[in-house]
Amino acid sequence: MEGRLLLKNCAVFRADGRVRTGMAVVVEENVIRRVAPDTQVPVLPGDWEVACRGRLVAPGLVDCHSHMVNGQLLPATGYFLLMPQRERLERSLRVARLLSNEDVEALTRFAAARALRDGVSMVVEHLSCLDVAGGLSAQARAAQDVGLRMVTSHATHSLDGAPQAETWLDANADFTRRHREHPLVRGAIGFHASFTCDHALLTRVSRLSRELDAPTVFHLAESEDDLATTYSRHGQRVVPRLDALGLLGPRAIAGYARALDSAEASRLNDSGTFVALAPRDARTLERGVDPLEAVVSRVQLLGLGTGGHGTPQDELNAAMEGVLRISRAGRLPDVDGTLAHLLINGPAELCTRLFDLPSGNVEEGSIADLVVYDSVPPADPETGYSPHLLGQMARSPVSWTIVNGRVCVREGQLLGHDYVELARAATDALHRVWTRARLGS
């Protein structure tokens, strides 16, 4: 975009629950250049002026662990969720093998558009498909076209044999090498989970991550089945096993973390591993499992992920229930601060790690990933405190979404694409895959 993007007369979000009203935000290229009182920032020739009219401007949301494509293949119906975990996995992998690159691109494009309309500016994606090179490239094309920031990887596993796993991992590593410096799409080295991967595969994942200085994306202690299978085969629980293989640390993005004890949570914190929680997902997928209890009071690097179902706002509401329960038991004193960390501060740290630019704040020098909400927040005139600001965001429609300085959504409408046509293309892709899978038989 040429010239400046100028957000006029807005209320600027702060994660501590306060807002600054009557402000202007100046975006040049991909960076916030100025945040100042509205009267001090005149409109210059060539500016793209956005009349916010007091609406809330906040950092873009981050979906810290998603299955943008595979989450659409097998929606979270009651029938599917009541299957045993192993049966769900086998069914998911069988259908994922039937994806063509055309299907991956159409499904990613629609999921990216939907995320942008929900105020999500960045997604950490975990793809499962047969043609890894083609699938990851298709995802990169779709994300760049629609404008979503993405880190993508393949959920490689050993269930189809070592040669197939090596082929998948090589393709994933090649994609990561080619996208090391891309401004919008980066690669990560992915594997599915401890219980689906043998030692040789995980050893190579660890080595490639170090050699490429690339993040790893995986499911951590995904279920009791993960825990039991890992222990029976390797004589270790999941966290000690992955730690011994060098797979925990500042490069690691661990999804779910559903079956942990307090010592393992502390071990994750000490290693600097980022943990992406999906509290809404946990309540539906695994009976009696709630990762919040062990994790939120012991791990500093946390964020919310959707797992490919729902929105970060849905996950925030589910997290609030769990955090309140823990707090009422006297084990977590700051409910609002914990929720702000899960939705804003932790994901901002992840984005900064991955793209080397300050994020998560509407401040000068931060990356221009921003959302304008259709909400005019009330605030105490003396302190600027706005009660339940996160709740206001979760309930408010998204008006504008800006990613890397590019306007992707304007007054609720996706720019450059017909949202309904993207939905139709995704539906056509699902029909093709489901026909191949003969799901009705």
Side-chain angles (χ1 to χ4, degrees):
M1 184 186 73
E2 296 181 3
R4 307 187 308 173
L5 177 64
L6 180 56
L7 308 181
K8 291 284 285 180
N9 187 23
C10 55
V12 173
F13 172 92
R14 294 178 60 164
D16 61 6
R18 291 181 291 166
V19 294
R20 290 176 287 172
T21 59
M23 302 296 289
V25 178
V26 179
V27 173
E28 288 186 287
E29 297 179 341
N30 68 332
V31 175
I32 299 172
R33 294 297 182 192
R34 190 178 181 194
V35 180
D38 193 70
T39 56
Q40 298 179 15
V41 185
V43 180
L44 302 179
D47 284 348
W48 182 353
E49 179 187 4
V50 179
C52 292
R53 297 180 294 163
R55 287 179 291 183
L56 180 66
V57 174
L61 299 177
V62 176
D63 186 344
C64 299
H65 183 91
S66 187
H67 300 283
M68 300 173 71
V69 170
N70 301 98
Q72 295 180 73
L73 292 181
L74 292 172
T77 63
Y79 171 74
F80 181 69
L81 294 173
L82 288 173
M83 290 179 179
Q85 197 270 346
R86 282 280 179 163
E87 190 174 342
R88 291 200 307 266
L89 175 61
E90 290 170 2
R91 190 175 178 88
S92 297
L93 293 178
R94 179 168 68 88
V95 178
R97 293 185 188 100
L98 303 174
L99 283 164
S100 70
N101 297 333
E102 179 187 6
D103 300 330
V104 170
E105 187 161 353
L107 293 168
T108 302
R109 201 179 301 273
F110 172 63
R114 186 170 55 188
L116 290 167
R117 295 211 331 178
D118 288 331
V120 175
S121 57
M122 183 183 119
V123 172
V124 178
E125 166 71 338
H126 206 197
L127 175 69
S128 179
C129 66
L130 189 59
D131 179 2
V132 175
L136 294 179
S137 295
Q139 289 207 299
R141 287 193 301 272
Q144 292 173 64
D145 186 34
V146 179
L148 182 71
R149 187 182 301 279
M150 178 188 287
V151 175
T152 187
S153 63
H154 183 257
T156 295
H157 55 79
S158 303
L159 299 177
D160 290 345
Q164 179 67 83
E166 289 292 316
T167 299
W168 284 337
L169 187 57
D170 286 340
N172 192 167
D174 183 60
F175 176 87
T176 301
R177 289 187 188 95
R178 290 186 286 108
H179 288 79
R180 289 174 60 90
E181 304 296 330
H182 195 280
L184 207 62
V185 178
R186 301 286 173 90
I189 305 297
F191 65 93
H192 175 249
S194 172
F195 75 119
T196 60
C197 297
D198 62 27
H199 250 48
L201 174 61
L202 294 186
T203 299
R204 188 152 183 256
V205 168
S206 178
R207 179 172 60 80
L208 282 170
S209 176
R210 291 193 304 272
E211 289 176 356
L212 298 175
D213 193 23
T216 54
V217 176
F218 53 92
H219 295 179
L220 175 72
E222 180 180 5
S223 63
E224 291 297 332
D225 194 19
D226 187 357
L227 194 62
T229 302
T230 296
Y231 194 84
S232 66
R233 291 177 180 172
H234 307 288
Q236 292 177 295
R237 288 170 62 93
V238 175
V239 169
R241 182 191 182 212
L242 297 185
D243 197 9
L245 290 168
L247 288 165
L248 303 183
R251 287 188 293 267
I253 306 170
Y256 301 136
R258 296 187 184 120
L260 298 178
D261 60 30
S262 58
E264 290 166 342
S266 297
R267 193 167 185 171
L268 290 172
N269 185 64
D270 293 342
S271 71
T273 297
F274 186 92
V275 177
L277 296 175
R280 175 176 173 268
D281 210 26
R283 283 167 170 75
T284 57
L285 282 175
E286 300 300 331
R287 182 168 48 196
V289 175
D290 187 346
L292 287 173
E293 181 76 34
V295 174
V296 294
S297 61
R298 295 178 177 86
V299 179
Q300 296 299 312
L301 292 169
L302 292 171
L304 295 175
T306 65
H309 303 292
T311 68
Q313 292 91 337
D314 295 331
E315 296 296 338
L316 176 68
N317 292 332
M320 186 171 186
E321 296 176 19
V323 169
L324 282 171
R325 178 179 50 77
I326 298 167
S327 184
R328 287 189 178 114
R331 294 188 291 273
L332 190 68
D334 185 4
V335 172
D336 294 333
T338 299
L339 294 174
H341 184 77
L342 287 170
L343 187 67
I344 302 295
N345 297 335
E349 172 65 24
L350 178 62
C351 183
T352 298
R353 281 186 177 190
L354 296 170
F355 286 90
D356 301 317
L357 286 169
S359 65
N361 293 296
V362 187
E363 294 180 353
E364 295 172 5
S366 291
I367 195 167
D369 289 2
L370 299 169
V371 177
V372 181
Y373 290 92
D374 268 343
S375 170
V376 180
D380 182 276
E382 294 184 4
T383 65
Y385 177 74
S386 185
H388 197 27
L389 188 55
L390 294 181
Q392 295 178 54
M393 289 170 53
R395 292 191 302 268
S396 300
V398 169
S399 182
W400 293 66
T401 303
I402 301 157
V403 181
N404 209 41
R406 169 184 170 181
V407 176
C408 301
V409 174
R410 179 179 64 192
E411 298 299 349
Q413 299 299 311
L414 189 70
L415 288 189
H417 298 274
D418 184 322
Y419 185 81
V420 175
E421 286 304 313
L422 295 183
R424 287 173 59 87
T427 293
D428 289 344
L430 291 174
H431 287 168
R432 292 192 295 267
V433 177
W434 292 346
T435 298
R436 295 178 203 127
R438 295 179 59 83
L439 291 180
S441 62

